[in-house]
Amino acid sequence: MPTLEEELLRLMTEETARLHAAPDLVERVVRGSRRRRTRSRIAALSASVAVVAAPVAYLGMGAATTTGGEVTISATPEPPAIDDVPPQPSEPPTLGDLGDGKAFGHVKVEYLPERLIWSRWSVNFGDKYSTAYGYEGDDSGFYRVQIYMYEQATVEEVADRIAAHRDEGEGEEVTVGDRTGYLVVQDVGEDGMKGTPTLFLKMGERQWAEIMISPVYAGELGDADAVTAELRRIAEGLTSTL
């Protein structure tokens, strides 16, 4: 059985390969391990992930922006002007509104499940960007709902991933209003580790959305039908501004 560190390395390698920066990386590693760990052990691991995973933008309090085609990531916000003022989470300036997290990039979010608010976590790789939502007071490294947007050439990544799921016999074609999509549970782990319920939604010829519900939140919602219903409601409420 792989150790906690080996499982962490495996997940980080996968995240790097597809530049899909999920904010629940530590959560998934911890849930996938059968070994009991002390609080200090988990805290130390979380701290190491924040440093090592910076290239894939696993930064709850940081942000990524693009300049001249290159991705730059701010691990910590700029120091405050007054020493006794706590630093605030930095926000990617190119993601648009983000006042309440319901308008970002080229999309508006009209529906979120009850009690969910913007987590102040977001990443921006130009034509591929994301933000997440959780409960008030949640640790910034965890999420309940994440929306990842793909535009222009990056929509090919979505096509490839859906094709891979089809080849494996995973998921199903769905229709949301007059839009098509694909419903699947991603990243199903070994030893009963739950995966991430996901709805890929075609919003236009060159724009797709990937809506994810974390395994933890899926458990809170109840059975698979309840989870699918929430994914559909979120998808129905997504509006493109392209």
Side-chain angles (χ1 to χ4, degrees):
M1 177 177 176
T3 65
L4 187 61
E5 290 81 2
E6 290 170 341
E7 179 66 5
L8 174 62
L9 179 59
R10 181 185 68 79
L11 284 174
M12 287 174 57
T13 301
E14 292 177 359
E15 295 290 346
T16 304
R18 64 182 181 176
L19 280 181
H20 191 283
D24 67 334
L25 184 56
V26 174
E27 179 184 15
R28 282 164 34 204
V29 174
V30 173
R31 286 189 296 102
S33 173
R34 288 180 176 176
R35 298 185 179 183
R36 300 179 62 87
R37 304 287 180 178
T38 63
R39 289 182 178 273
S40 60
R41 176 66 169 160
I42 298 299
L45 178 62
S46 299
S48 67
V49 169
V51 175
V52 178
V56 294
Y58 178 73
L59 298 168
M61 299 296 286
T65 57
T66 54
T67 327
E70 297 181 358
V71 176
T72 58
I73 299 173
S74 172
T76 56
E78 292 297 321
I82 304 174
D83 291 342
D84 60 355
V85 176
Q88 299 298 312
S90 59
E91 300 174 9
T94 56
L95 278 187
D97 184 345
L98 279 189
D100 59 3
K102 291 186 177 181
F104 65 101
H106 300 115
V107 66
K108 289 184 178 179
V109 183
E110 296 179 8
Y111 171 82
L112 285 174
E114 187 177 0
R115 294 177 53 209
L116 294 195
I117 61 173
W118 183 39
S119 69
R120 305 191 71 79
W121 177 93
S122 56
V123 290
N124 181 15
F125 298 100
D127 289 338
K128 182 168 62 174
Y129 51 92
S130 177
T131 196
Y133 308 89
Y135 295 139
E136 184 174 1
D138 273 354
D139 183 276
S140 59
F142 296 90
Y143 79 110
R144 292 317 193 258
V145 169
Q146 182 182 2
I147 299 175
Y148 219 111
M149 298 300 301
Y150 301 82
E151 296 171 359
Q152 306 309 324
T154 66
V155 300
E156 300 302 327
E157 296 179 28
V158 179
D160 291 344
R161 289 170 60 196
I162 291 176
H165 287 304
R166 286 197 191 103
D167 291 345
E168 294 295 326
E170 303 168 343
E172 59 180 308
E173 309 284 347
V174 295
T175 301
V176 180
D178 60 352
R179 299 182 290 195
T180 59
Y182 201 82
L183 183 67
V184 67
V185 178
Q186 301 188 95
D187 305 321
V188 178
E190 299 176 357
D191 301 324
M193 183 176 175
K194 295 180 179 179
T196 303
T198 303
L199 176 59
F200 293 99
L201 180 69
K202 184 176 182 180
M203 306 206 29
E205 289 302 318
R206 307 303 290 172
Q207 186 184 46
W208 278 75
E210 179 182 10
I211 308 163
M212 292 162 280
I213 287 180
S214 75
V216 170
Y217 188 47
E220 296 175 6
L221 291 174
D223 60 19
D225 288 342
V227 173
T228 298
E230 287 294 4
L231 283 170
R232 283 183 167 276
R233 290 188 189 106
I234 297 170
E236 289 169 356
L238 289 188
T239 303
S240 174
T241 59
L242 272 179

